Amino acid sequence: MIKRILHTVFANLKNSFGWKTKRKIVVFSVDDYGNVRLNSKVARENMNKAGMKIYSRFDALDTLETKQDLEQLFNVLNSVKDKNGRNAVFTPFALPCNINFEKVIANDFQKFEYETLPETYSKLAKEQPEAYLGAWEKWLEGIQKGFLKPQFHGREHVNLSIFNDKLKSKDEQLLTALKNKSYTSISDDDYPTKSSFAAFDFWDVSENQNLKSIVIDGLQKFEEVFGYKSNYFTPPVFNIHHSLFSTLKENGVNFIDLALFRKEHQGFGKYKKSLNYTGKKTNEGLTIMVRNVVFEPTEDRGIDWIDFTLKQIETAFRWNKPAIISSHRVNFCGHIDEKNREKGLKSLEGLLQEIVKKWPDVEFMSADELGNCILKK
């Protein structure tokens, strides 16, 4: 009972601040597209045999999206239309680059190397054609047909300070993962302020000076890969220091996803708390966006995800707020387990059907389109 009351209070609190509109706007912000976390079922089996832990569903199921993943996702997004006759759209927060596993192995694990996403798909199309032949072309088709509008999620989903440190020490976990062309099941217990996957985590705030070049290069690579500049950024694991905000702004980014209650690392384990809301401006001129709805249908929380998400959307609309739905690619991955994809897409289809039924005046938008609406207002 108390838990339910607290959840209701929080659901209303997070919608009480910031930009408002009478329009029923729904945005799907979906993280991790383009990232190679787990190469294949064989890779997972090899790492299991080596004693590498599965810390989460991401370690078990999260692979680069296959042609089948994308085809079936597009079918679901196209199964509904909003008041303007538009299908539902995903904003995949995507990585334009991945680890170049072959080069890292060839240099005897001496240094990090990366490759662009089309290069990754080209390799996988030869190695696993049943899953990846035509997958990159399907990606481009999804953009062209309006199912996908990717935005920037970092250059690669890798914390390079941890990566290089473990590479130098010949860490067995890392080497095993790399030999299996994966970057998953990597412990970061020895790094109290860093995650192995949070590209912009640090210990000493001075490290951010070196991270600026990764931001700039990442945005350039995004434009090369997807054919346009990204103007919207979601930091991996939502962690980034404000000293990088000016670099983002100077390189074309206007919008940034930040947590409602944010703990920004100041260095050496010290943190500063802040409250954010959609439409708030940073000193550098970035417009902050706060996701106010959660949809993770393959995460076992013992809840009905469709009902849970609909109630969050209803709360957002009651406060005259857009519904910015937060999700992850892993919910729609079927390369390791087709049942995972089936479960995720079935829930997504059910959610979309209920949305258009309950709110016939709904409008589906990409995240950047919502951002532009806020700026115009």
Side-chain angles (χ1 to χ4, degrees), residues 313-333:
I313 296 172
E314 187 173 30
T315 302
F317 288 167
R318 186 167 64 246
W319 284 91
N320 295 322
K321 300 297 289 293
I324 308 174
I325 303 173
S326 181
S327 193
H328 288 84
R329 176 189 64 183
V330 68
N331 294 293
F332 316 108
C333 285

Side-chain angles (χ1 to χ4, degrees), residues 249-280:
K249 184 64 178 174
E250 290 162 7
N251 287 273
V253 174
N254 293 322
F255 312 105
I256 184 168
D257 266 333
L258 294 177
L260 176 69
F261 296 111
R262 173 164 150 84
K263 282 177 61 180
E264 183 189 74
H265 187 211
Q266 304 298 295
F268 308 118
K270 304 290 185 182
Y271 292 84
K272 182 180 179 180
K273 296 179 181 178
S274 63
L275 173 68
N276 293 305
Y277 51 84
T278 293
K280 182 180 179 181

Side-chain angles (χ1 to χ4, degrees), residues 136 140 143 150 220-230:
W136 178 238
L140 297 177
I143 295 172
Q220 290 172 346
K221 291 296 185 293
F222 182 97
E223 184 177 5
E224 290 174 21
V225 167
F226 293 107
Y228 58 88
K229 288 180 179 292
S230 174

